[in-house]
Amino acid sequence: MYNRVIMMGRIANDLELKTTTNGASVLSFRIAVDRRYQTKGEERKTDFFNVVAWRNEAEFISRYFSKGNMIHIEGELQTRSYNDKNGNTVYVTEIITDRACFTGEKANGGQQSPYQNYSAPAHPAENTNNTAPAVSQGAPADFTESDDDDDYPF
């Protein structure tokens, strides 16, 4: 069986990082995703999805995102139920995200996010300071053209 969800949308509410009694960070929020089609003469419809992030992922999202930001999430779809105060059974469907990343959306002032291709580390030991990895840029003078094509494997 396979259960995988990939979505990109805007965060629809203020983010509030919470901690469970066991000390695990948890973040619940909603994302708004526009439908890809639009009926002529009507506004484009938007769907809202519940998202839950745990531990490092929750901390990463609460640190670098806020209401209105575009976010790319990946995770699993889960359902749960509970009884409300009137005794009615309420069913909830949520995306339990295990990966969130920036979309490359330009921030205020026309600047692109310096973390556009960065997502939270899968394991805390991989990157503990939540900073984007360094990228080196070569100058054209650093590269020379080769006259001999025999050494290349392609």
Side-chain angles (χ1 to χ4, degrees):
M1 294 189 219
Y2 189 72
N3 180 354
R4 193 73 183 157
V5 176
I6 301 171
M7 290 197 179
M8 186 168 73
R10 294 201 179 274
I11 297 174
N13 58 296
D14 292 326
L15 301 178
E16 182 182 347
L17 184 66
K18 296 181 180 180
T19 305
T20 65
T21 55
N22 294 335
S25 300
V26 62
L27 180 67
S28 297
F29 59 98
R30 298 181 78 201
I31 60 169
V33 180
D34 289 339
R35 294 185 183 173
R36 47 181 196 150
Y37 61 87
Q38 179 178 358
T39 306
K40 191 172 185 176
E42 292 183 11
E43 287 188 33
R44 183 177 302 263
K45 294 192 185 319
T46 302
D47 294 305
F48 293 83
F49 297 95
N50 298 319
V51 180
V52 178
W54 290 90
R55 298 173 185 80
N56 288 343
E57 207 65 37
E59 293 170 10
F60 170 76
I61 294 168
S62 70
R63 174 181 267 171
Y64 294 109
F65 292 90
S66 60
K67 181 178 179 179
N69 287 146
M70 185 76 76
I71 189 169
H72 169 103
I73 61 161
E74 296 181 26
E76 294 181 352
L77 202 58
Q78 287 186 4
T79 59
R80 62 182 172 88
S81 63
Y82 64 92
N83 292 325
D84 67 8
K85 61 184 176 185
N86 298 327
N88 299 321
T89 302
V90 178
Y91 295 93
V92 179
T93 302
E94 300 168 318
I95 300 166
I96 309 302
T97 185
D98 56 30
R99 183 168 190 260
C101 30
F102 296 94
T103 63
E105 172 187 41
K106 293 189 178 189
N108 295 341
Q111 297 294 321
Q112 205 163 15
S113 168
Y115 305 105
Q116 67 186 14
N117 295 320
Y118 180 66
S119 62
H123 305 299
E126 288 180 18
N127 189 344
T128 56
N129 61 2
N130 282 342
T131 58
V135 178
S136 62
Q137 299 287 329
D142 293 341
F143 302 95
T144 59
E145 191 171 323
S146 174
D147 294 329
D148 184 16
D149 290 337
D150 293 337
D151 291 332
Y152 298 122
F154 48 89

